[in-house]
Amino acid sequence: MNLNPNPNRNASHHRTRPALVLVAHGSRDPRALETVSALADRVRALRPGLPVRLGHIELNAPLLPDTLAALGDGEEAVLVPLLLSRGYHVKHDIPEMAAASGVRTRLAAPLGPHPLLVETLVTRLTEAGWTHGDAVVLAAAGSRDPEAAVDTGRTAALLSARLGGVPVVPAYASAARPTVPEAVRSLRARGHRRVAVASYFTAPGRFATESAQASPDLAAAPLGPHPAMAHLVLHRYDEARRTAPLKRTLAPLT
């Protein structure tokens, strides 16, 4: 007996899922676009049939407004920032671009902090040659928003616990203190002979490169298209569908 009064109901529901729009910052480093594109491909592989799009805040095409404009009339999108903490882009830039688009959107939380990020950081550190006992500097972009430092600090604490309690000091490439070189010097002054820099960046770029260059011993690669990152993107997407308010806005008349 067919208990489903509409045998096409599930297929129809599948087709009408909101698009997942990955929102990357953008970079002049060509590896950044390659990296976030590879991450988008991993997300598509994990959830076939889900529309996955990419938009940038600046510097790379497609820009987020263009990605949203390309969605069909009446479409809904969940915006998942490929950003690791709260800050100006998450609180202002992305919502303002979404509001101007006229598309119905939900905004997901930034990726961090989350244990899946920590798993990715551990993988990258291990690949770079980290051994137990090496102190770690968690190198992040930095922000003037105090909540960004809170989020990065929480990730540092999670990473320290995951690594067995070794010191993990958050540091920043811009806009906040300590800087990465300052954090390295501080750990050296405390007697740590080897200091690893964990790259708390989604993709390669200027800040990631400068942070790695500040390491006297070893520096991990950025998070990149690690499988855990793809799972985290989908977690934020699903979470936003359940809890984030749907923004119904009208594009300005021209």
Side-chain angles (χ1 to χ4, degrees):
M1 178 182 297
N2 183 5
L3 299 179
N4 184 353
N6 181 359
N8 294 320
R9 180 178 182 275
N10 290 337
S12 175
H13 176 73
H14 182 76
R15 286 196 303 269
T16 58
R17 285 182 298 178
L20 189 165
V21 178
L22 295 168
V23 185
H25 182 277
S27 171
R28 292 183 177 87
D29 189 323
R31 296 173 298 170
L33 179 57
E34 295 171 3
T35 299
V36 295
S37 296
L39 178 57
D41 287 340
R42 277 197 179 272
V43 173
R44 293 185 185 102
L46 285 174
R47 195 166 295 183
L50 175 65
V52 178
R53 306 287 185 262
L54 176 63
H56 295 87
I57 296 170
E58 60 181 357
L59 298 175
N60 287 117
L63 294 172
L64 178 58
D66 296 329
T67 297
L68 294 176
L71 295 175
D73 291 341
E75 290 288 335
E76 181 184 331
V78 175
L79 311 184
V80 180
L82 295 182
L83 303 170
L84 304 175
S85 64
R86 292 167 290 179
Y88 192 85
H89 292 315
V90 171
K91 294 180 179 180
H92 299 281
D93 286 338
I94 298 174
E96 288 172 4
M97 291 178 186
S101 73
V103 175
R104 297 181 301 160
T105 61
R106 300 179 194 269
L107 177 59
L111 297 183
H114 195 276
L116 287 171
L117 284 177
V118 173
E119 289 305 311
T120 307
L121 287 165
V122 171
T123 298
R124 297 301 184 224
L125 282 166
T126 303
E127 291 170 347
W130 180 88
T131 58
H132 187 73
D134 294 346
V136 176
V137 172
L138 182 65
S143 170
R144 293 183 177 86
D145 189 322
E147 289 187 321
V150 170
D151 291 344
T152 305
R154 288 180 60 195
T155 298
L158 289 170
L159 180 58
S160 176
R162 178 65 176 76
L163 294 176
V166 302
V168 177
V169 177
Y172 305 97
S174 69
R177 302 285 292 274
T179 65
V180 175
E182 287 170 345
V184 169
R185 288 195 296 268
S186 174
L187 286 167
R188 279 290 180 82
R190 288 158 54 183
H192 296 282
R193 290 188 298 174
R194 291 224 320 167
V195 178
V197 172
S199 186
Y200 198 42
F201 301 94
T202 306
R206 180 168 67 90
F207 286 161
T209 299
E210 291 175 355
S211 296
Q213 290 171 345
S215 170
D217 299 306
L218 61 99
L223 300 164
H226 190 283
M229 294 289 286
H231 284 285
L232 179 53
V233 165
L234 287 170
H235 170 71
R236 291 301 191 211
Y237 170 85
D238 293 334
E239 182 181 61
R241 287 192 67 189
R242 293 192 306 269
T243 63
L246 179 64
K247 300 294 186 180
R248 299 177 181 271
T249 57
L250 295 176
L253 296 177
T254 57

